[in-house]
């Protein structure tokens, strides 16, 4: 049994990758993040659950023992209208972990453990290993366990998710020089 609140999940699909520049959140602070997609039948789910429980035990003074939100989100969950809560087709059959770092940019490396500098190399849809540190939070009536993002290793390419840049040759035709005269 895992007694650590830290875990490395392996060969998982990455989504909503914002680990190079990050983005500014509603409080005006920079946050780096990504979403980990873990197949529901993955044996890693047990280790993830144990790490979440270890974080609950470690931070029990902060989060208490009841009413704690879990960071492990069900990609097949539906809202009261019968629509998927997490609307993307790639979420089906998976659990989602929305991992964030509020203090520093996570370490990002390739298969050879060399730094990835080009942001186009780590994208939504590729596969990676992700080091996560679970921690408790308590903001009034909102309390739970969050997955902190520490490091990412890209392990292989995958089909890109979402809308990537369009191919200009499909959007435009050649313009003759005399057109601008």
């Amino acid at each position: 049994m895992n007694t650590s609140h830290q875990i490395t999940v392996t060969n998982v699909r990455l989504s909503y990758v914002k680990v190079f520049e990050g983005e500014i959140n509603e409080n005006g602070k920079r946050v780096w993040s990504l979403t980990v997609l873990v197949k529901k039948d993955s044996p890693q789910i047990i280790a993830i659950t144990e790490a979440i429980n270890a974080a609950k035990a470690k931070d029990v003074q902060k989060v208490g023992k009841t009413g704690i939100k879990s960071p492990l989100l069900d990609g097949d969950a539906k809202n009261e209208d019968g629509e998927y809560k997490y609307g993307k087709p790639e979420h089906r059959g998976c659990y989602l972990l929305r991992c964030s770092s509020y203090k520093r940019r996570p370490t990002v490396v390739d298969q050879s453990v060399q730094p990835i500098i080009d942001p186009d190399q780590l994208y939504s849809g590729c596969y990676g290993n992700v080091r996560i540190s679970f921690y408790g939070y308590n903001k009034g009536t909102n309390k739970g366990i969050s997955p902190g993002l520490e490091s990412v290793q890209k392990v292989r390419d995958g089909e890109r998710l979402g809308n990537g840049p369009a191919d200009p040759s499909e959007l435009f035709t050649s313009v003759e020089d005399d057109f601008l005269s």
Side-chain angles (χ1 to χ4, degrees):
M1 181 172 150
N2 180 18
T3 59
S4 174
H5 64 285
Q6 297 177 311
I7 187 171
T8 300
V9 292
T10 58
N11 202 29
V12 292
R13 196 157 196 206
L14 308 180
S15 185
Y16 300 105
V17 176
K18 298 171 188 147
V19 297
F20 291 97
E21 298 295 324
E23 64 182 6
I24 304 299
N25 69 10
E26 64 276 358
N27 298 324
K29 294 187 177 183
R30 185 165 305 279
V31 59
W32 297 267
S33 63
L34 59 74
T35 298
V36 171
L37 305 179
V38 185
K39 292 286 187 189
K40 287 185 172 182
D41 60 358
S42 170
Q44 295 184 95
I45 297 299
I46 294 168
I48 292 168
T49 302
E50 288 174 351
I52 292 168
N53 289 336
K56 286 180 187 176
K58 176 179 142 304
D59 291 339
V60 69
Q61 295 293 337
K62 186 185 285 187
V63 298
K65 294 184 178 181
T66 61
I68 301 169
K69 291 182 182 178
S70 173
L72 200 57
L73 307 174
D74 185 346
D76 294 317
K78 294 185 178 181
N79 62 25
E80 55 215 27
D81 296 331
E83 296 175 3
Y84 287 108
K85 288 174 83 173
Y86 311 103
K88 306 285 185 183
E90 59 268 15
H91 298 158
R92 302 303 154 258
C94 294
Y95 285 110
L96 291 69
L97 283 169
R98 294 178 175 159
C99 306
S100 300
S101 175
Y102 294 92
K103 296 184 179 179
R104 64 174 180 78
R105 179 182 174 269
T107 305
V108 181
V109 297
D110 63 16
Q111 298 92 327
S112 302
V113 195
Q114 297 301 307
I116 294 178
I117 299 168
D118 180 1
D120 289 334
Q121 294 302 307
L122 191 78
Y123 53 88
S124 296
C126 72
Y127 290 80
N129 300 332
V130 181
R131 179 70 172 180
I132 301 168
S133 180
F134 291 98
Y135 62 92
Y137 65 88
N138 187 339
K139 299 194 179 187
T141 58
N142 188 15
K143 59 184 179 178
I145 302 297
S146 278
L149 177 60
E150 292 185 14
S151 299
V152 183
Q153 178 186 34
K154 179 181 177 181
V155 295
R156 64 184 168 98
D157 287 315
E159 182 180 339
R160 286 187 182 268
L161 302 176
N163 297 332
D167 180 354
S169 68
E170 293 178 12
L171 302 173
F172 305 109
T173 60
S174 295
V175 177
E176 299 295 323
D177 286 340
D178 63 348
F179 175 81
L180 299 174
S181 329

